[in-house]
Amino acid sequence: MWKGNSPAGSQGAAMEGTGGELGVQGNWGPEDAPGLLARASLTMLPWPLPLASSALTLLFGALTSLFLWYCYRLGSQDMQALGSGSRARGVRGGPVGCSEASGPSPRGPGDPGEGPRTEGLVSRRLRAYARRYSWAGMGRVRRAAQGGPGPGRGPGVLGIQRPGLLFLPDLPSAPFVPRDAQRHDVELLESSFPAILRDFGAVSWDFSGTTPLPRGWSPPLAPGCYQLLLYQAGRCQPTNCRRCPGAYRALRGLRSFMSANTFGNAGFSVLLPGARLEGRCGPTNARVRCHLGLKIPPGCELVVGGEPQCWAEGHCLLVDDSFLHTVAHNGSPEDGPRVVFIVDLWHPNVAGAERQALDFVFAPDP
């Protein structure tokens, strides 16, 4: 009910009809309250909803950006650790060498500069592995990465075992490992002896040193030592594998071959008469070297950790090359070279979870 003169009344009626402005001067009766409340709610209710929606949108966008930033940081840290690991020379297992171990490390495990840098790199890559998978079963590997007690670092450890890069604690240590520890792989290699020997005959040469080095053979690391590798530092050598199908087939059937690790190598090792490789140690005690004798003339000797042994044609010999060892061919030139087929296997006491972690940490270069 609107009260006033006719012009004002007509103006108020017009305003009431449009329902536009509630601030017009005038008088209302009680009966007008419901209509006024309804108009006020219609006018005031819509404006807070877009504001609330915008605030929620901004909050959701901020949370999404924070999550994406966190994922980027996590991924970049992992890739940085992996990239630095592949570029660093300290995590490479090195080639098989012409001896029964990798070539001697340029520095010992206790030398300043090399040891801490390598241990820090291994620790970073191991943390990257744990973030992606788990720390479960990583006790020994974690201690090894942190530079825990090892040969030359604690009391009561034999000085004749000095792995150059990685010492995995609490592994049984013996210069020679029983055949039964890797029965399946030993029997497979021994049954493949005729095929592997044929492959060597197909790639062999006179080893005189007067002719150019044949395709596939690596330059000698020492006088009288030659090698042809099917796997080098965990990477397959396709050309040599195609030339040696029997040996490659045997490698593919092994259960514990370190085929995806820079510590893993496989190939033919030739030692000429009069050649001798003085004391050296391999890079890690996490592996065992399997020697399959192919041609063993008289006067050949392998001394590991002070214990002498000799090869036999068609039979395997398991060696922990982290022990100090010496190889010699004391035969006459008429006896011909000593030839063995060498394969790097996992130490039988390294658990599956530890092997997976070490394959990640010491992955071959891409």
Side-chain angles (χ1 to χ4, degrees):
M1 179 182 65
W2 182 269
K3 294 184 180 180
N5 54 20
S6 56
S10 60
Q11 183 181 2
M15 292 182 180
E16 185 177 359
T18 59
E21 299 182 19
L22 297 177
V24 178
Q25 299 293 331
N27 297 321
W28 294 275
E31 64 275 13
D32 299 322
L36 294 174
L37 291 175
R39 291 186 182 186
S41 64
L42 289 175
T43 306
M44 301 295 292
L45 184 59
W47 73 267
L49 291 180
L51 182 60
S53 177
S54 300
L56 290 176
T57 302
L58 291 175
L59 179 61
F60 179 75
L63 292 176
T64 303
S65 301
L66 183 62
F67 175 74
L68 294 176
W69 174 82
Y70 172 77
C71 294
Y72 170 77
R73 283 293 303 275
L74 185 63
S76 63
Q77 289 175 359
D78 290 353
M79 293 306 298
Q80 182 180 6
L82 293 177
S84 61
S86 63
R87 291 190 301 267
R89 187 178 66 182
V91 297
R92 295 182 60 87
V96 67
C98 58
S99 71
E100 279 51 55
S102 298
S105 302
R107 297 179 184 176
D111 291 345
E114 184 72 16
R117 184 182 65 180
T118 302
E119 291 167 4
L121 176 60
V122 173
S123 296
R124 289 196 300 271
R125 300 192 73 180
L126 185 60
R127 286 196 298 270
Y129 171 85
R131 284 195 299 267
R132 184 173 297 184
Y133 301 102
S134 171
W135 282 112
M138 294 295 104
R140 289 193 300 190
V141 179
R142 195 170 187 177
R143 278 187 287 158
Q146 293 172 350
R153 297 177 183 171
V157 180
L158 292 177
I160 57 176
Q161 187 185 22
R162 298 195 302 268
L165 292 177
L166 179 76
F167 177 77
L168 199 61
D170 301 330
L171 281 183
S173 297
F176 296 96
V177 180
R179 291 164 46 91
D180 291 343
Q182 297 288 7
R183 176 182 293 273
H184 173 272
D185 290 352
V186 165
E187 292 179 350
L188 178 60
L189 287 171
E190 290 180 348
S191 65
S192 303
F193 167 73
I196 297 175
L197 185 60
R198 283 196 302 270
D199 288 343
F200 175 75
V203 298
S204 180
W205 56 298
D206 59 5
F207 301 106
S208 62
T210 59
T211 59
L213 201 64
R215 179 170 58 95
W217 287 88
S218 303
L221 298 179
C225 303
Y226 297 91
Q227 58 181 350
L228 185 141
L229 301 176
L230 278 66
Y231 278 78
Q232 181 175 9
R235 300 184 64 181
C236 178
Q237 308 299 306
T239 302
N240 291 343
C241 289
R242 285 193 293 268
R243 297 174 64 194
C244 305
Y248 178 69
R249 191 178 304 112
L251 292 175
R252 298 290 293 176
L254 300 178
R255 293 177 179 174
S256 55
F257 175 38
M258 303 178 75
S259 59
N261 194 298
T262 55
F263 293 137
N265 307 274
F268 298 99
S269 173
V270 177
L271 193 67
L272 300 183
R276 183 179 182 86
L277 296 166
E278 293 296 341
R280 55 182 61 197
C281 294
T284 179
N285 66 330
R287 76 180 184 189
V288 171
R289 296 215 124 166
C290 182
H291 301 176
L292 174 64
L294 299 180
K295 294 184 177 182
I296 312 299
C300 297
E301 188 179 43
L302 169 65
V303 180
V304 183
E307 299 182 16
Q309 276 283 3
C310 190
W311 303 271
E313 295 181 359
H315 296 277
C316 289
L317 189 66
L318 298 180
V319 180
D320 185 345
D321 72 328
S322 65
F323 284 85
L324 189 67
H325 59 279
T326 301
V327 184
H329 185 348
N330 300 318
S332 63
E334 293 77 16
D335 294 330
R338 181 235 58 181
V339 183
V340 295
F341 186 70
I342 301 177
V343 185
D344 288 328
L345 308 176
W346 283 104
H347 191 289
N349 292 92
V350 178
E354 295 173 324
R355 297 181 185 185
Q356 181 178 343
L358 291 176
D359 278 344
F360 182 92
V361 173
F362 296 98
D365 292 344

